[in-house]
Amino acid sequence: MKVTLVWAVVGLQQLVAALTIAEINGNKFLSPYSGETVTNVTGLLIAKGPSGAWIRSTTPDDDPATSEAIYVFGTVGASVGDIISLDGKVTEYRQQASYLYLTEITSPKNVKVISGTTVAPLIIGKDTLSPPTATFSGLDGGDVYNVPGGVTNISVSNPVLKPKEDGLDFWESLSGELVKIKRPTSIQRANQYGDTWVFGDWVVSGKNAHGGLTMSGKDSNPEAIIIGSPLDGTKNPSTSKMGDQFEDITGVVTCAFGFYRILPLTAIKTSSTANANAKPSTLKTSSDCRALTIGDYNVENLAPDSSHLPDIAAHIVNYLNSPDLIFIQEVQDGSGPADDGVVSANATLSALTASIESLSSISYAFASVDPISNQDGGQPGGNIRQAYLYRPEVVTLYKPNPGSGSDETQVQPGPKLSFNPGRIEPGNEAWSASRKPIAAAWVAKGAKKPFFTVNVHFSSKGGGTSLHGDARPPVNGAVGRREMQGNVTATFIREIMKEDPKAKVIAAGDFNEFSFVQPMKTFAAVSGMVDLDEATNVPVPERYTYVYDMNAQALDHMYVSPALAKSKHTKYEHLHLNTWAAFADMVSDHDPSVAQFDVCDC
Ligand SMILES: *[C@@H]1O[C@H](CO)[C@@H](O)[C@H](O)[C@H]1NC(C)=O
Ligand SMILES: *[C@@H]1O[C@H](CO)[C@@H](O)[C@H](O)[C@H]1NC(C)=O
Ligand SMILES: *[C@@H]1O[C@H](CO)[C@@H](O)[C@H](O)[C@H]1NC(C)=O
Ligand SMILES: *[C@@H]1O[C@H](CO)[C@@H](O)[C@H](O)[C@H]1NC(C)=O
């Protein structure tokens, strides 16, 4: 039987008259009037954009949680400086389900110009509160990297805004406002649309020597804001980079494409350009076990014909001082991304070492383990893997016995490795569609005992949500994977330490995680290894090898066993060669690092 229901919806739509803009916004993320039609909303037209206008209340309240401005989406037949009244519908809008909503008035009608006055922006930190510098949302439990993420959504919890305490609440409390940023500094190269992350003349935390903001435990820099597309159709500079200074920026606060952002009235103007010249490492090898130098570099999908291959070689020679041993990640097979069954990286590593030799007369040898084709993730067909470059006159494999892609290397009494180099538990599900670590044992000139290395490239953060997203805490993509990977790698290292508590072990590479987040805490706890940044007291703001959104951050690390962590000969430097560079000057998306160790016998 077919039932037809006819709903007669008459008069259910409430008409809410003469609310102030603060009342429409309310003191939470979502408007209490969402979906309702409002009439006679009065405000000063403070800015116009291609698809609408922004108005500011003429009857403000004194609650810093309630924004006094709002976006009106649609045609508003009035000009900047007009005080107008209008009717419309209160709407919450977002482009994607993982984003925060923007409160706006849609379908404006009965727009009336009442009078006019001058328009002045609110200077951030002077006419407004200053942005909080550590936490993003009270729903994060004090740490955006708390596990698990996605426990709640802001759009579900809809908390009362605390603009003095939490960064997202601060920017939400200014939604729709015309603001001015004084003395803005760029903290990240502009993206393809010219969108540029900045901070202004307010108090910031984590400022690094180059002018960027580096994240640290429980502080991922909510005080930064991205400058989006100019309202007048001009284009922001595309070549700006970390540390560039801009003229004051005036624009409206909005929430779009997953971030709070300021749409400037006109394009950002650069007032001074940062010097991106980096200095070479101060670390020099002794060419024997006393001061062995070890580099680490994610070389970003390196194939034999990569245009950046000679530049990687030049970085190794001119900035890393040709370390005795180099951990590299993202070495593709000899046919690059062609999915043709080739898995050997001999051609790639031969091209890299030949390029280094042409610049320096230094002949590197290399060691790696070919993966099984298309089993380790990354660019399809590329078969990325980790590899070691080494200077055989200084350091050689200890009892070499290379494993295949399916061979599992094991720690044997000595300690020594059953396969050298060899992969750690390649059959463990922790590594499905990801790179298996490559362990190796080495002996340096002047030493009789080996030291051990583990070269890692853990699963990336793909699939996560942004720090400005709806999910709280944000979803840290593949964090569960990295937790397993950290544990498996650490368990292997612990076997070496069981054989010899004084063993010298170095685990390095692209862990795709920050040292203060759970997978790395697990890795350190299970392995007994020490973060080399901690062991050598690298200043916290200089601990970065990557930039993402507003944050300079460390995805790449070295961890060392206690014997090396305690040694006064241990040194460590991050070489910020790429994080600072303009897009066209980047050689890889990661910065390399160099360390120096005494690996003579204990
Ligand atoms: C609209 O609001 C203003 C105050 O903002 C008030 O003076 C005016 O009477 C209102 N007009 C109507 C038609 O309600
Ligand atoms: C949060 O929102 C996303 C996207 O709409 C949804 O998939 C998820 O289930 C929500 N989570 C909670 C805890 O409400
Ligand atoms: C590795 O590549 C080099 C340079 O192309 C070549 O001379 C050498 O024969 C190759 N070795 C193997 C084992 O294929
Ligand atoms: C690490 O893995 C082992 C073996 O699967 C497990 O027993 C242990 O609980 C794990 N440890 C952590 C901290 O996850």
Side-chain angles (χ1 to χ4, degrees), residues 18 40 42 58-59 85 112:
N40 194 25
T42 306
T58 51
T59 52
S85 67
K112 295 187 192 115

Side-chain angles (χ1 to χ4, degrees), residues 485-535:
Q485 294 170 354
N487 191 8
V488 172
T489 309
T491 302
F492 177 87
I493 292 168
R494 201 177 53 197
E495 294 298 314
I496 301 175
M497 304 305 293
K498 272 190 204 156
E499 287 293 328
D500 177 7
K502 289 185 177 162
K504 294 181 173 177
V505 186
I506 300 143
D510 181 358
F511 289 84
N512 265 316
E513 192 54 275
F514 316 123
S515 60
F516 40 82
V517 179
Q518 191 56 54
M520 298 315 298
K521 290 187 199 167
T522 297
F523 173 77
V526 174
S527 66
M529 302 277 275
V530 181
D531 177 5
L532 195 51
D533 277 323
E534 290 288 329

Side-chain angles (χ1 to χ4, degrees), residues 20 38 71 84 98 151 184 189 235 274 291 334 342 377 474 483 497 541 576:
T20 67
V38 287
Y71 181 49
I84 61 175
S98 61
V151 173
R189 66 184 64 78
K235 299 264 184 266
V342 172
E483 173 75 8
M497 304 305 293
H576 302 301

Side-chain angles (χ1 to χ4, degrees), residues 296-297 544-546 556 575-579 589-593:
D296 176 39
Y297 202 173
Y544 65 97
T545 62
Y546 200 78
D556 308 85
L575 300 173
H576 302 301
L577 307 180
N578 299 311
T579 44
D589 50 349
H590 292 248
D591 282 334
S593 305

